[in-house]
Amino acid sequence: MKEIAIVGPTASGKSDLALRLALECNAYILSIDSLSIYKEIDIASAKPSREELERVKHFGIDVLRPDEHFSVATFIHLYKEAHTAALEAGKNLIIVGGTGFYLKSLLTGLSEIPPIDGSVREKSASMLRDPAGAHAYLNERDPEYMQNIETSDSYRIEKMLQLFLQTGMTPTQWFTANPPQPIIEEIP
């Protein structure tokens, strides 16, 4: 099985090229468009038409409702599903879209994060009532890591608080001990 990625700016013809290649190269398509994943969001995204979806099997289209959470971990799960389906069907896989961050996550991987206890979630939520204070708390313990997180970035502050409170390890210590592993190998 071969995998190819087509990334680029909006309205550059990526989807049309992916469809043509999929038909010529016996491939499935995995969308890495951050809006196409959502059902009911059809205007701002360049979703394939019903006819295109019938011609070539697509993954990552109309998977979640707009009120459901989507993360890069969700995308990696979708990639694994598409990869497995393509292997089982003897197909190639074309990854297409404008969200290069998702493609980068496949190439560089993600560090595993431990399960977070309910008590840790409660404590981090309490601390996040003062985002600047929560940032300062983490910054005292890990200034190297926290220099890249703004005091207004409550999502990342929450994740790092939970990691620290759950493990007792600073983010730098955790990510050094648990480096990311690539999901797919880059071919030169």
Side-chain angles (χ1 to χ4, degrees), residues 5-15 17 32-33 95-100 103:
I6 303 170
V7 293
T10 301
S12 61
K14 298 177 301 290
S15 296
L17 176 59
I32 57 172
D33 179 85
I95 303 167
V96 62
T99 310
L103 181 60

Side-chain angles (χ1 to χ4, degrees), residues 24-110:
E24 291 174 18
C25 301
N26 188 34
Y28 288 157
I29 295 175
L30 170 62
S31 171
I32 57 172
D33 179 85
S34 61
L35 292 177
S36 292
I37 190 91
Y38 292 108
K39 300 172 186 176
E40 303 169 21
I41 298 181
D42 298 329
I43 295 173
S45 67
K47 288 183 187 176
S49 68
R50 184 179 313 235
E51 178 188 82
E52 291 168 333
L53 291 171
E54 289 173 2
R55 292 175 71 195
V56 174
K57 184 168 179 72
H58 285 68
F59 294 83
I61 305 290
D62 290 337
V63 175
L64 302 172
R65 291 184 324 273
D67 63 340
E68 291 180 289
H69 176 70
F70 181 69
S71 70
V72 71
T74 308
F75 168 72
I76 288 173
H77 173 77
L78 283 170
Y79 165 77
K80 289 178 179 179
E81 180 183 314
H83 179 83
T84 299
L87 273 175
E88 289 174 355
K91 301 273 189 179
N92 295 305
L93 183 62
I94 297 173
I95 303 167
V96 62
T99 310
F101 175 69
Y102 297 148
L103 181 60
K104 182 180 183 287
S105 71
L106 291 175
L107 296 171
T108 60
L110 296 175

